[in-house]
Amino acid sequence: MRVARPLIVALCLLAGKPGAALSQATTSSPPPGGPKKSEGPFLVKPYLQWGDSTAREGTRSLAVLWHTGDDAKPWSVEFQPGADQPWRPAEAPTPRRIAVPGIPPHRLYRAILKNLVPGARFSYRLSQAGQPVFQSDGRAPKAAAAAYRFVAFGDCGAGTPEQASIAYRAYREQPDFVLITGDIVYERGRISEYRDKFWPVYNADEASPAQGAPLLRSTVFLAAPGNHDIATRDLERYPDGLAYFLYWDQPLNGPPGRVGGAKVPALKGPEANRRAFLDAAGPAYPRMANFSFDYGNAHWMVLDSNPYVDWHDPDLRAWIERDLASARHATWRFVTFHHPGFNSAKEHFEQQQMRMMAEVFENGGVDVVFSGHVHNYQRTVPLRFVPENDAAGKPVRVANRVGGRWTLDTAFDGRTHTHPSGVIYLVTGAGGNHLYNPEQQDDHASWQSFTHKFISKIHSLTVADVDGPRLTIRQVAADGQELDNFTIEKR
Ligand SMILES: [Fe+2]
């Protein structure tokens, strides 16, 4: 049985009383991008991130980040690793000044909560100039033996009512972490767009289907960058773009990227704009586009699947092969990237470039691939794919189409036959933006033979429960309606 989430306490210390912010109200909250309440000393209230340090320290640390104006009042952070443990100070928060054209200069602060107790709920509080101004709680990442839940959705930060209702559903599911499968914020992943369509929804003070939920402050978010997040490197047209590299704190353990190389397009725009971005991004750019991490008994790989990436690049392929080989100890191997290789929707059907990596995933023992980009939900049967190769042994790619042969495990049904032969590919891109191809949901003849489920008439999210060798995945609508359900078991 899952433990109920303790109530979130936010900013109420200012008023000298504990505050419970859980609300079912659906009518009084402003829509995303609408009028905003005072955020006190914050431009963006604290939010939990996996952090690069976690990659170095296993499951025992997390990062808390927040944004303020361009002042230098001293901040301090304390945290309580467990209910019975004393409060302890975190190391002094480190600021990074973000000063890009078109946005008033502001500061991003980062503090690392170290030596957490795996799986335990913890509390943390922030003080400015000695005055407490914010408190919340969270859960430390779980150890390998523990059962855990994550939710996944993509194509979400569109400022729609459906984005808020899916966020609220995610909150109600009480996940241990949230995974965004790309296209985090529309239209260009800009700072200004994060302020309208990301923070107000996923870090709302109150939980409601109309507004969203206080998820970010209490639950770790991880994300794969999509095309709307990082494909445009034009800092002349969008000088506050590429905010993914500014505001997320994810492992920097991926393959180093050379600007102009196989996976890093050159930045465009005036030198001053490029310099401002690079100064603000620090070491996150461009490295944070690809990374891996372990959670519980699973190994995760996160890839940038934008079409500019050269999947023939030997360094990139070698990194992926090495990373998966090093994860043989893990019970589960999951991969996430934005552009699905196996998609039956007419929308984006031709963007099949990730099929070129299917054999690498199969050889690396990948169980499930989570993607977005296509704004609906799709599940393949377990499959293996052999691309059609040219005389040089490279897959034939015409534009982004990749031909080949697939072998389908049609015996797997996720109920009585739960041992798949091959990789299951999920599209979970119905997190907020308008849906793609609703007319195909009931038109089975329009599905590719690898597609088992196609839900495109309703927004939804993926809820995954991992319990040792058993993985149960449900696709759930905003009202809790179950749209799909299957189980995978390890022998
Ligand atoms: Fe996309």
Side-chain angles (χ1 to χ4, degrees):
M1 178 172 292
R2 299 182 64 79
V3 178
R5 179 191 295 277
L7 296 176
I8 303 300
V9 180
L11 272 183
C12 300
L13 291 176
L14 284 172
K17 60 182 181 182
L22 188 62
S23 165
Q24 303 292 323
T26 59
T27 55
S28 60
S29 301
K36 298 182 181 66
K37 301 174 194 170
S38 167
E39 300 293 321
F42 300 105
L43 281 177
V44 171
K45 287 179 182 174
Y47 57 103
L48 296 176
Q49 292 278 278
W50 191 254
D52 187 39
S53 64
T54 307
R56 300 189 299 267
E57 300 178 21
T59 60
R60 299 181 64 84
S61 73
L62 286 174
V64 55
L65 281 67
W66 64 100
H67 307 179
T68 73
D70 194 26
D71 58 39
K73 287 184 185 171
W75 284 92
S76 60
V77 176
E78 299 171 286
F79 65 105
Q80 188 181 27
D84 300 327
Q85 300 198 24
W87 286 84
R88 63 179 68 162
E91 291 178 10
T94 55
R96 180 178 294 279
R97 190 166 187 262
I98 297 174
V100 299
I103 300 290
H106 57 289
R107 295 183 186 217
L108 179 150
Y109 284 86
R110 176 186 287 104
I112 308 298
L113 310 181
K114 292 183 177 177
N115 297 315
L116 297 169
V117 180
R121 292 212 71 85
F122 63 86
S123 298
Y124 67 97
R125 62 191 180 203
L126 280 68
S127 296
Q128 189 185 39
Q131 295 297 313
V133 293
F134 183 91
Q135 180 169 330
S136 185
D137 63 0
R139 185 186 293 284
K142 288 180 172 170
Y148 59 96
R149 169 176 291 181
F150 66 89
V151 302
F153 54 84
D155 310 83
C156 47
T160 60
E162 291 82 5
Q163 177 196 359
S165 64
I166 291 295
Y168 178 71
R169 169 51 50 187
Y171 182 74
R172 292 288 301 269
E173 295 290 342
Q174 300 184 31
D176 291 299
F177 67 93
V178 175
L179 171 73
I180 296 181
T181 55
D183 285 0
I184 306 162
V185 175
Y186 291 90
E187 288 291 325
R188 301 290 174 187
R190 303 170 68 173
I191 291 174
S192 50
E193 294 169 329
Y194 267 78
R195 290 181 178 177
D196 278 348
K197 295 183 278 197
F198 189 74
W199 313 116
V201 178
Y202 301 113
N203 212 4
D205 283 338
E206 298 180 353
S208 78
Q211 179 65 27
L215 265 170
L216 280 162
R217 65 192 64 179
S218 59
T219 309
V220 174
F221 272 51
L222 288 138
N227 52 305
H228 285 271
D229 303 304
I230 68 167
T232 297
R233 309 275 166 132
D234 188 345
L235 294 171
E236 180 168 17
R237 293 181 69 186
Y238 311 111
D240 65 333
L242 297 171
Y244 168 77
F245 293 103
L246 307 180
Y247 291 155
W248 289 78
D249 187 2
Q250 310 201 93
L252 303 180
N253 60 0
R258 180 176 59 79
V259 173
K263 54 190 177 299
V264 188
L267 292 174
K268 298 178 186 172
E271 166 64 19
N273 294 23
R274 286 182 279 137
R275 177 47 50 199
F277 166 73
L278 291 170
D279 286 348
Y285 186 82
R287 193 154 193 181
M288 205 173 64
N290 301 279
F291 59 92
S292 66
F293 66 97
D294 291 329
Y295 191 103
N297 62 359
H299 181 74
W300 280 88
M301 175 182 288
V302 181
L303 299 174
D304 173 9
S305 59
N306 277 297
Y308 51 70
V309 175
D310 177 7
W311 294 102
H312 299 312
D313 178 62
D315 292 342
L316 179 57
R317 292 182 82 94
W319 179 81
I320 293 171
E321 289 169 355
R322 271 201 315 272
D323 186 79
L324 290 174
S326 72
R328 286 289 177 187
H329 65 281
T331 304
W332 300 96
R333 280 161 293 280
F334 301 131
V335 176
T336 183
F337 48 77
H338 185 58
H339 302 69
F342 299 95
N343 156 43
S344 277
K346 292 169 184 168
E347 195 76 37
H348 295 329
F349 177 73
E350 75 289 353
Q351 296 185 22
Q352 301 166 354
Q353 64 268 22
M354 293 310 290
R355 291 184 182 182
M356 289 190 291
M357 300 307 293
E359 287 181 300
V360 174
F361 298 152
E362 294 159 21
N363 294 336
V366 171
D367 297 290
V368 183
V369 172
F370 299 83
S371 294
H373 196 45
V374 179
H375 302 176
N376 52 42
Y377 169 73
Q378 297 175 49
R379 165 162 67 105
T380 72
V381 299
L383 69 85
R384 298 180 184 279
F385 180 75
V386 179
E388 178 188 348
N389 286 344
D390 61 19
K394 290 184 175 179
V396 176
R397 174 176 172 177
V398 179
N400 289 318
R401 287 198 180 221
V402 178
R405 276 184 302 109
W406 45 71
T407 303
L408 308 179
D409 175 8
T410 54
F412 174 88
D413 62 11
R415 297 180 188 279
T416 56
H417 295 89
T418 55
H419 303 291
S421 176
V423 179
I424 295 175
Y425 292 86
L426 296 187
V427 175
T428 182
N433 209 343
H434 67 92
L435 296 168
Y436 285 170
N437 300 115
E439 77 283 0
Q440 285 186 257
Q441 177 169 317
D442 300 321
D443 180 11
H444 292 214
S446 73
W447 303 0
Q448 298 293 301
S449 59
F450 51 69
T451 294
H452 177 76
K453 201 85 175 182
F454 190 113
I455 305 290
S456 55
K457 292 183 177 178
I458 189 168
H459 288 83
S460 62
L461 77 167
T462 303
V463 182
D465 286 294
V466 183
D467 189 357
R470 183 181 175 90
L471 164 66
T472 299
I473 290 182
R474 296 178 292 128
Q475 193 69 16
V476 177
D479 64 359
Q481 176 192 357
E482 189 173 290
L483 308 171
D484 191 18
N485 183 333
F486 66 99
T487 295
I488 306 173
E489 290 178 298
K490 296 285 184 177
R491 294 186 191 281

